[in-house]
Amino acid sequence: MHATLFYSFFKSLVGKDVVVELKNDLSICGTLHSVDQYLNIKLTDISVTDPEKYPHMLSVKNCFIRGSVVHYVQLPADEVDTQLLQDAARKEALQQKQ
Amino acid sequence: MRTKPPLPPAPPPWSAALLPVPARAGPGAVSLAIAGGREARPGPGGPFPLRRSPGWLCGAARRGGPSIMTSALENYINRTVAVITSDGRMIVGTLKGFDQTINLILDESHERVFSSSQGVEQVVLGLYIVRGDNVAVIGEIDEETDSALDLGNIRAEPLNSVAH
């Protein structure tokens, strides 16, 4: 299993509220339930940020999002030490190169 | 003629709990985790110990690493799910099986076609296999909330595709 930095990062965020913005422009808000090595994301207690425009998920409470369709994951700023993350990412990129 | 497909001696770690499809499914059958398959299989004590825990999902962990949490679809098996595909379609059905690449087996499925001019149209599809590449979201449908929906009155633009 290669590049596990962000996998570990998301694991540390389990239980937090996040907004996942998908490549099809759908934004889903929910509690991060679990993540896997492909960065597939499971959210519980979801709500679509614009339910008028996207009523498609009205009867869905929990969902599984395939990692490949995620555009962004919006996180609460105080949950992340961005300096730490940047340094760690730099280190991992270096390791990957070798 | 064999009644069972041959079992390979050394399965790749991630496929340990994947069950070979029974012979009646034909030579083109794919090997997926199938709901109900466990009960259907005879148990000769063969090389595939059937276990509850998703060992095959923890591919790397089975090689002796620390246990890895997986974001599994196991909990959705036999439940009604809404699958949003990469081209923006919504297919509702009963999730019968899945695999590592998120290929899905959906039973009693129908497509919900949303339009801004008329209510939701439901097109019956039947038993479907959806290739994992095309899956975007799998939502667990809450039956109560869903039956309370008045689909005839919902107006919405169809979802976008994931490509630009």
Side-chain angles (χ1 to χ4, degrees):
Chain A
M1 203 162 69
H2 57 140
T4 59
L5 175 62
F6 281 96
Y7 172 42
S8 306
F9 170 67
F10 280 121
K11 273 203 286 186
S12 73
L13 291 179
V14 166
K16 306 283 187 288
D17 287 338
V18 298
V19 181
V20 181
E21 194 178 315
L22 305 177
K23 290 181 181 174
N24 62 2
D25 300 332
L26 186 59
S27 278
I28 305 177
C29 173
T31 310
L32 183 63
H33 174 272
S34 56
V35 67
D36 66 15
Q37 49 168 325
Y38 304 109
L39 305 187
N40 294 329
I41 289 171
K42 241 184 163 184
L43 295 178
T44 53
D45 233 358
I46 63 157
S47 57
V48 178
T49 49
D50 191 354
E52 277 251 338
K53 188 170 180 204
Y54 299 114
H56 312 68
M57 310 275 286
L58 282 177
S59 31
V60 176
K61 302 281 185 265
N62 314 314
C63 69
F64 170 99
I65 302 172
R66 197 171 196 263
S68 58
V69 305
V70 174
H71 214 160
Y72 303 113
V73 178
Q74 295 162 17
L75 316 161
D78 37 338
E79 292 299 339
V80 187
D81 181 344
T82 47
Q83 262 310 338
L84 207 60
L85 192 56
Q86 246 186 327
D87 291 342
R90 212 164 278 138
K91 286 195 187 100
E92 193 181 60
L94 229 51
Q95 279 175 8
Q96 289 236 303
K97 257 180 147 178
Q98 287 152 5
Chain B
M1 167 108 100
R2 307 184 93 138
T3 51
K4 274 194 314 190
L7 303 174
W14 55 267
S15 73
L18 294 182
L19 308 174
V21 175
R24 60 182 156 77
V30 272
S31 142
L32 299 175
I34 295 177
R38 290 185 184 124
E39 292 81 5
R41 276 182 55 92
F48 283 104
L50 302 176
R51 57 190 109 180
R52 240 340 4 219
S53 109
W56 66 275
L57 294 173
C58 310
R62 300 194 74 253
R63 285 177 216 120
S67 74
I68 295 180
M69 166 197 15
T70 51
S71 195
L73 288 173
E74 271 214 349
N75 302 341
Y76 293 5
I77 285 270
N78 284 325
R79 302 264 177 92
T80 307
V81 293
V83 178
I84 301 194
T85 58
S86 55
D87 59 353
R89 283 193 273 188
M90 179 174 172
I91 301 179
V92 178
T94 311
L95 183 65
K96 285 301 195 181
F98 64 95
D99 69 2
Q100 192 77 307
T101 56
I102 322 289
N103 295 326
L104 305 176
I105 298 180
L106 288 180
D107 201 0
E108 295 157 351
S109 61
H110 56 269
E111 182 183 342
R112 286 199 187 159
V113 185
F114 290 81
S115 117
S116 31
S117 52
Q118 35 161 300
V120 178
E121 185 195 350
Q122 305 211 76
V123 182
V124 174
L125 303 170
L127 180 61
Y128 253 40
I129 289 183
V130 183
R131 194 180 153 90
D133 299 348
N134 301 305
V135 174
V137 180
I138 301 168
E140 188 184 11
I141 286 202
D142 177 39
E143 306 271 5
E144 268 188 58
T145 321
D146 199 54
S147 40
L149 283 183
D150 181 11
L151 293 174
N153 274 331
I154 297 181
R155 303 282 183 279
E157 286 284 313
L159 291 168
N160 295 330
S161 88
V162 301
H164 306 289

